[in-house]
Amino acid sequence: MSEPPSRGPDRDLFRDTWVRYLGYANEVGEAFRSLVPAAVVWLSYGVSSSYVLADAIDKGKKAGEVPSAEAGRSTRVTVAVVDTLVWQALASVALPGFTINRVCAASLYLLGIATRWPLPVRKWTTTTLGLLTIPIIIHPIDRSVDFLLDSSLRKLYPATDKPSSS
């Protein structure tokens, strides 16, 4: 995370604290896929998905607490929940999970044909490469999802309810 966490009442539990790292659980699960049972990987997706849902609910509650007309409140809450849910699902679960999965699969395959290392060494090397890839892909994926949503879904929101980029 390039921005320092904020302090005080503006502090966002899901973006400015250690809780944010729960969103990366599936990436860690994908990195360890060659070493652990599939159920462990699916559990990591459960953790990440729970994080996404909790953040969307939190953003909806916060949007509902802003004083305004009741008709505008409902729209604002809906936009906050949908935007957060879609953004987090793409930026925290789907795209990073797919990317780490493919990096690990490719590295395991390439190590199998390029080296004579024993399978456990190749699997641990693959896991290490997957883990090292996580910090490299975070910001490019986040910015790409911002661009994607700004170019599509966010154009559909009412002008007064557009959320700021995540």
Side-chain angles (χ1 to χ4, degrees), residues 7 10 18-19 23 42 74 76 82 97 102 105 109 113 117-118 146 166:
R7 302 279 180 218
D10 295 0
W18 65 269
V19 174
W42 288 111
S74 175
R76 191 175 54 254
V82 168
R102 295 296 81 205
Y109 173 76
I113 58 175
W117 295 350
D146 279 335
S166 300

Side-chain angles (χ1 to χ4, degrees), residues 32-132:
F32 278 93
R33 182 179 285 274
S34 66
L35 295 170
V36 299
V40 174
V41 178
W42 288 111
L43 178 63
S44 73
Y45 274 89
V47 171
S48 291
S49 297
S50 296
Y51 164 82
V52 167
L53 288 172
D55 190 25
I57 291 167
D58 178 64
K59 297 308 176 281
K61 285 182 180 178
K62 287 179 180 175
E65 293 170 355
V66 175
S68 70
E70 191 59 35
R73 179 181 179 273
S74 175
T75 302
R76 191 175 54 254
V77 169
T78 301
V79 166
V81 170
V82 168
D83 190 76
T84 303
L85 192 62
V86 172
W87 192 92
Q88 287 285 16
L90 289 171
S92 295
V93 181
L95 296 176
F98 176 78
T99 303
I100 297 300
N101 178 284
R102 295 296 81 205
V103 165
C104 290
S107 66
L108 188 60
Y109 173 76
L110 292 173
L111 288 170
I113 58 175
T115 71
R116 293 183 183 259
W117 295 350
L119 183 58
V121 173
R122 292 194 315 258
K123 286 182 175 184
W124 277 105
T125 302
T126 293
T127 297
T128 301
L129 289 171
L131 291 172
L132 291 172

